[in-house]
């Protein structure tokens, strides 16, 4: 489940995100950070454990062991995605992410949590406090490494033609939702919705084609990852747009 993943297809600068209130509406809006180097220097153990605990809390797992990292995530039904990318990629994923920052002064790596992002600024969580700062201030420290969490939409790791069971039915439901079928306008009926038939394989291949994956009609980790990012499941944290403020 770990490792490098290819960027999502269609990554661009205009990906929508959840809007955070302005400082006029929210007295606890993140303050502007003026000295990133000083903030990083004060982090205990490089900020790793605290950043993981803050990330788990966003997924509703308050009190989860931050020292456990990705192994702890698996006990919570979550998986890690680890890779190297760009701000545009993180906007496309639209999930809070752990970033590894390296100070140009001492070359020591430290971990912070990215919770908000727009075209020019970011909101980061450092030692439990949220700060707003320009991307230009972060770029000398960030080489592109990130880790984020996602929730697999299916219980199994692989589905293909001929398989049967609840995961197949769940896959049909997901594709129906993404294809915007509804109770008022249901999809064409199938003889056995729990059977992975040729028609379902064609639907999977069409989804894969649309998202830059190999259109083989087999639902593996990469396809589940894309399905997860396309769904808007309750309890899934998203990046917020950086609030306006001084």
């Amino acid at each position: 489940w770990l490792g490098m993943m290819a960027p999502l297809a269609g990554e661009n600068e205009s990906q929508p995100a959840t809007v955070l209130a302005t400082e006029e509406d929210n007295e606890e809006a993140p303050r502007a950070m003026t000295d990133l180097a000083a903030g990083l220097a004060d982090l205990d153990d490089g900020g790793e454990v605290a950043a993981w605990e803050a990330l788990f809390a966003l997924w509703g797992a308050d009190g989860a062991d931050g020292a456990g990292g990705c192994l702890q995530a698996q006990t919570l039904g979550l998986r890690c995605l680890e890779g190297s990318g760009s701000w545009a990629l993180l906007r496309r994923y639209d999930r809070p992410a752990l970033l590894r920052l390296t100070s140009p002064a001492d070359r020591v790596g430290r971990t912070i949590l990215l919770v908000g992002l727009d075209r020019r600024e970011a909101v980061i969580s450092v030692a439990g406090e949220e700060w707003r700062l320009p991307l230009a201030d972060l770029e000398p420290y960030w080489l592109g490494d990130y880790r984020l969490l996602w929730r697999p939409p299916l219980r199994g790791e692989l589905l293909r033609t001929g398989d049967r069971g609840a995961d197949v039915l769940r896959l049909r439901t997901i594709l129906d939702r993404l294809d915007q079928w509804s109770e008022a306008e249901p999809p064409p009926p199938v003889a056995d919705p729990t059977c992975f038939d040729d028609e379902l394989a064609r639907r999977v291949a069409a989804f894969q084609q649309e998202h830059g994956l190999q259109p083989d009609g087999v639902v593996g980790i990469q396809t589940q990852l894309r399905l997860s990012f396309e769904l808007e499941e309750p309890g899934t944290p998203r990046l917020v747009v950086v609030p306006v403020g001084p």
Side-chain angles (χ1 to χ4, degrees):
W1 292 88
L2 293 176
M4 307 288 282
M5 298 288 188
L8 287 173
E11 129 183 3
N12 57 64
E13 297 292 329
S14 60
Q15 186 68 14
T18 304
V19 176
L20 190 66
T22 65
E23 290 197 3
E24 288 77 9
D25 299 323
N26 182 358
E27 294 180 356
E28 298 184 0
R31 292 174 292 165
M33 175 175 274
T34 57
D35 192 343
L36 178 59
L40 295 178
D42 291 339
L43 289 177
D44 295 330
D45 67 22
E48 183 87 2
V49 172
W52 271 109
E53 289 175 350
L55 180 57
F56 286 141
L58 291 178
W59 283 88
D62 293 281
D65 180 13
C70 289
L71 292 178
Q72 176 69 27
Q74 292 190 44
T75 69
L76 302 171
L78 301 169
R79 297 293 182 267
C80 283
L81 171 62
E82 187 173 8
S84 181
S86 64
W87 299 121
L89 177 63
L90 294 181
R91 276 191 288 270
R92 176 65 174 166
Y93 283 149
D94 196 16
R95 298 289 185 272
L98 299 179
L99 305 184
R100 190 69 171 169
L101 304 184
T102 302
S103 169
D106 58 20
R107 310 306 300 172
V108 175
R110 297 173 175 89
T111 302
I112 57 95
L113 175 61
L114 177 74
V115 296
L117 188 62
D118 65 17
R119 294 183 184 181
R120 296 181 180 84
E121 292 190 306
V123 174
I124 62 173
S125 176
V126 179
E129 290 192 54
E130 291 189 358
W131 299 89
R132 188 183 81 248
L133 73 167
L135 296 183
D137 289 358
L138 273 172
E139 284 167 358
Y141 294 80
W142 186 53
L143 300 179
D145 294 341
Y146 67 85
R147 285 168 292 174
L148 56 81
L149 298 177
W150 63 288
R151 180 173 285 115
L154 306 176
R155 295 179 64 86
E157 296 186 11
L158 188 68
L159 275 183
R160 62 180 67 191
T161 304
D163 287 343
R164 295 176 179 272
D167 262 356
V168 178
L169 183 59
R170 168 68 174 157
L171 175 61
R172 288 187 186 278
T173 301
I174 292 171
L175 292 175
D176 288 348
R177 187 193 309 178
L178 295 178
D179 290 341
Q180 298 185 335
W181 294 108
S182 64
E183 291 185 6
E185 219 178 321
V190 294
D192 183 357
T194 65
C195 175
F196 197 127
D197 56 18
D198 291 339
E199 177 57 30
L200 183 56
R202 283 190 286 271
R203 294 183 67 188
V204 170
F207 174 85
Q208 293 168 327
Q209 183 78 45
E210 180 182 356
H211 293 276
L213 300 172
Q214 181 181 351
D216 57 9
V218 176
V219 182
I221 299 304
Q222 290 275 358
T223 301
Q224 286 208 47
L225 179 67
R226 288 346 188 252
L227 289 170
S228 172
F229 285 127
E230 291 301 313
L231 292 172
E232 295 187 6
E233 297 284 16
T236 299
R238 299 178 63 190
L239 290 174
V240 295
V241 172
V242 181
V244 176

